[in-house]
């Protein structure tokens, strides 16, 4: 079934590429692209089978995202971050899952996980308030996943949770005016004193130890993988896809380009140009290969019923942040060597350059923190596994 979805996604790529300028103009992914991706089953790749999902291999999901981002960075980004949310909803209580998908298995969710909101303990749940930024694709979704700190009556922080909130309980503020990923509609979410039942929350402490009450119903090994491994991969994969798309356009442009400053020499005959694409392609391949290999190693431990070693989980994050950097380094190198025509509006290269650098500033791509944790663990220091 995953192959059918991948084939369907590939058939959509020309249309997605053609609508890339429209996405930037609208500041959201065009409805036509979302509808097409829905129809081929993309958004249900990581969704439980009992709700018409595919419970697909996460590598198949990442592969589809990479292809989409290679056609349009904004569409690839939204597809990735919206498409991964069914994986987390599958960890929530059955009551919450039924609320999201019971009547409509095509329901989509956006998110904003930074704990910028405040949740106050109350009978049976929490009172949630706050403003959350950067909720990519929220205009195409009818639920949102929000991160929030939980306070007790003494105003002390007692937990960090994800809160599941339906569309009627939040407002979207249209604030997204950006030079990169400008078609993602990553607007603000505002919640004012909304009651969220306990069953519609998930502790980050639980997800940090690969646990969620939904595992009782959704027993697939897919839902036993680490939250931070799955989710940070959804941030790096679109950027790898952007790099692959930039590489393809650069090679095509250079084969047609004549360099006036070098007596009409064909750019493709420049030996330095050949070296540059060799290096760029290696960086892209390395970023992808490490991402896939690390997920495969985690899957192997889960399949054996083993706890995933902390060192492996930290390696996932090490290679994830460096994978983002490798992809951006490749894009930068190709962009610098592409000539003035790469600056023209409508070219994939200039858009990929802007989109990838915009994606680089996402919190999941903060390299120093992830690398420091990896190094500290290698030196034998204690590292909080809840963050990885």
């Amino acid at each position: 079934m995953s192959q059918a979805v991948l084939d369907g996604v590939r058939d959509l790529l020309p249309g997605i590429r053609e609508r890339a300028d429209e996405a930037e103009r609208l500041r959201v992914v065009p409805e036509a692209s979302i509808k097409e991706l829905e129809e081929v089953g993309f958004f249900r790749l990581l969704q439980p089978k009992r709700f018409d999902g595919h419970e697909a291999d996460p590598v198949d999901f990442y592969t589809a995202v990479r292809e989409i981002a290679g056609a349009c960075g904004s569409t690839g980004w939204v597809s990735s971050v919206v498409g991964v949310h069914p994986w987390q909803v599958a960890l929530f209580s059955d009551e919450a899952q039924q609320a999201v998908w019971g009547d409509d298995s095509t329901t989509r969710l956006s998110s904003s996980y930074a704990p910028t909101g405040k949740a106050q303990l109350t009978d049976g749940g929490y009172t949630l308030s706050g403003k959350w930024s950067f909720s990519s694709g929220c205009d195409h979704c009818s639920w949102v996943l929000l991160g929030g700190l939980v306070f007790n009556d003494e105003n002390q922080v007692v937990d960090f949770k994800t809160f599941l909130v339906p569309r009627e309980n939040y407002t979207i503020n249209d604030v997204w005016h950006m030079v990169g990923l400008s078609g993602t509609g990553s607007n603000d979410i505002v919640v004012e004193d909304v009651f969220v039942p306990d069953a519609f929350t998930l502790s980050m402490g639980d997800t940090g130890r690969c646990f969620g009450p939904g595992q009782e119903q959704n027993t697939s090994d897919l839902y036993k993988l680490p939250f931070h491994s799955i989710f940070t991969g959804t941030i790096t994969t679109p950027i790898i896809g952007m790099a692959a798309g930039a590489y393809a356009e650069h090679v095509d442009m250079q084969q047609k380009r004549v360099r006036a400053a070098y007596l009409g020499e064909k750019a493709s005959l420049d030996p330095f140009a050949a070296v540059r694409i060799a290096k760029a392609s290696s960086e892209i391949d390395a970023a992808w290969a490490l991402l896939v290999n690390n997920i495969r190693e985690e899957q192997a431990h889960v399949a054996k019923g083993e706890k995933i070693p902390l060192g492996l989980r930290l390696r996932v994050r090490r290679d994830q942040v460096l994978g983002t950097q490798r992809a951006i380094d490749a894009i930068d190198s190709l962009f610098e060597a592409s000539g003035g025509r790469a600056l023209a509006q409508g070219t994939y290269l200039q858009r990929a350059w802007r989109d990838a650098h915009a994606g680089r500033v996402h919190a999941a791509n903060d390299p120093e923190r992830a690398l420091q944790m990896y190094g500290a663990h290698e030196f034998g220091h204690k590292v909080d596994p809840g963050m990885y």
Side-chain angles (χ1 to χ4, degrees):
M1 184 59 73
S2 294
Q3 187 59 52
V5 175
L6 287 172
D7 291 342
V9 165
R10 288 174 177 135
D11 289 341
L12 301 178
L13 297 180
I16 290 172
R17 179 181 288 270
E18 288 177 7
R19 289 188 286 268
D21 284 337
E22 182 184 1
E24 292 208 312
R25 186 175 68 255
L26 296 175
R27 297 181 295 112
V28 296
V29 174
E31 184 63 39
S33 296
I34 297 295
K35 182 179 179 181
E36 289 176 349
L37 289 167
E38 182 63 63
E39 288 175 347
V40 300
F42 168 80
F43 291 111
R44 294 193 298 278
L45 278 171
L46 301 182
Q47 193 162 308
K49 288 182 179 178
R50 68 196 191 102
F51 292 111
D52 303 321
H54 300 303
E55 291 186 11
D57 187 325
V59 173
D60 289 342
F61 173 74
Y62 292 145
T63 300
V65 167
R66 186 187 62 184
E67 299 270 359
I68 297 165
C72 171
S74 286
T75 306
W77 185 272
V78 168
S79 298
S80 193
V81 298
V82 171
V84 76
H85 293 143
W87 183 89
Q88 189 186 17
V89 174
L91 299 179
F92 275 77
S93 70
D94 185 53
E95 181 182 348
Q97 295 176 59
Q98 295 290 346
V100 173
W101 293 312
D103 294 330
D104 183 3
S105 63
T106 67
T107 297
R108 294 184 295 271
L109 308 91
S110 67
S111 68
S112 182
Y113 290 104
T116 55
K118 179 178 179 179
Q120 195 74 35
L121 278 166
T122 188
D123 289 343
Y126 308 85
T127 301
L128 183 68
S129 295
K131 182 179 77 173
W132 289 260
S133 298
F134 313 122
S135 188
S136 300
C138 58
D139 290 298
H140 298 296
C141 300
S142 53
W143 288 75
V144 68
L145 294 153
L146 300 172
L149 298 176
V150 178
F151 292 80
N152 61 16
D153 292 337
E154 287 73 45
N155 209 36
Q156 297 171 322
V157 176
V158 294
D159 205 350
F160 173 17
K161 287 201 166 198
T162 300
F163 297 85
L164 183 57
V165 182
R167 181 66 185 86
E168 60 266 24
N169 288 342
Y170 60 89
T171 301
I172 297 173
N173 285 351
D174 185 357
V175 298
W176 192 247
H177 299 271
M178 302 293 177
V179 298
L181 292 175
S182 54
T184 61
S186 303
N187 289 308
D188 288 354
I189 303 293
V190 179
V191 175
E192 297 180 0
D193 294 328
V194 167
F195 175 71
V196 181
D198 187 60
F200 288 66
T201 72
L202 197 62
S203 172
M204 293 301 287
D206 285 342
T207 53
R209 59 189 181 91
C210 302
F211 171 77
Q215 290 170 339
E216 185 175 341
Q217 295 83 32
N218 305 313
T219 59
S220 167
D221 286 352
L222 170 65
Y223 304 113
K224 299 172 186 175
L225 292 166
F227 172 91
H228 287 90
S229 296
I230 294 293
F231 271 70
T232 57
T234 68
I235 300 303
T236 290
T237 296
I239 298 175
I240 296 174
M242 295 170 205
Y247 178 85
E249 183 166 85
H250 173 80
V251 171
D252 182 66
M253 290 174 66
Q254 295 306 98
Q255 288 175 320
K256 300 172 183 176
R257 180 184 173 203
V258 174
R259 305 184 70 178
Y262 293 91
L263 303 177
E265 176 188 75
K266 289 185 177 181
S268 63
L269 296 177
D270 180 355
F272 300 110
V275 170
R276 190 179 290 254
I277 65 169
K279 290 183 175 179
S281 63
S282 180
E283 292 297 298
I284 297 167
D285 288 348
W288 178 248
L290 288 169
L291 185 150
V292 171
N293 179 71
N294 289 336
I295 289 293
R296 289 283 182 249
E297 284 200 37
E298 289 190 329
Q299 288 175 307
H301 284 286
V302 171
K304 296 175 184 176
E306 300 171 351
K307 183 178 179 180
I308 299 172
L310 177 57
L312 174 55
R313 293 173 65 171
L314 291 168
R315 191 203 323 152
V316 169
R317 291 285 282 119
R318 178 200 72 183
D319 293 337
Q320 175 258 316
V321 295
L322 291 179
T324 292
Q325 192 60 58
R326 287 186 173 99
I328 290 176
D329 287 346
I331 292 172
D332 286 349
S333 176
L334 298 170
F335 186 60
E336 290 166 4
S338 291
R341 286 184 173 80
L343 295 170
Q345 291 184 355
T347 63
Y348 184 90
L349 258 171
Q350 53 83 23
R351 189 181 298 113
W353 186 86
R354 290 185 287 112
D355 289 346
H357 280 274
R360 166 66 181 80
V361 301
H362 189 283
N365 285 326
D366 179 0
E368 288 82 12
R369 190 172 300 278
L371 298 180
Q372 185 276 330
M373 290 290 190
Y374 179 86
H377 180 261
E378 288 294 290
F379 282 136
H381 302 309
K382 185 177 180 180
V383 174
D384 179 9
M387 294 303 295
Y388 294 93

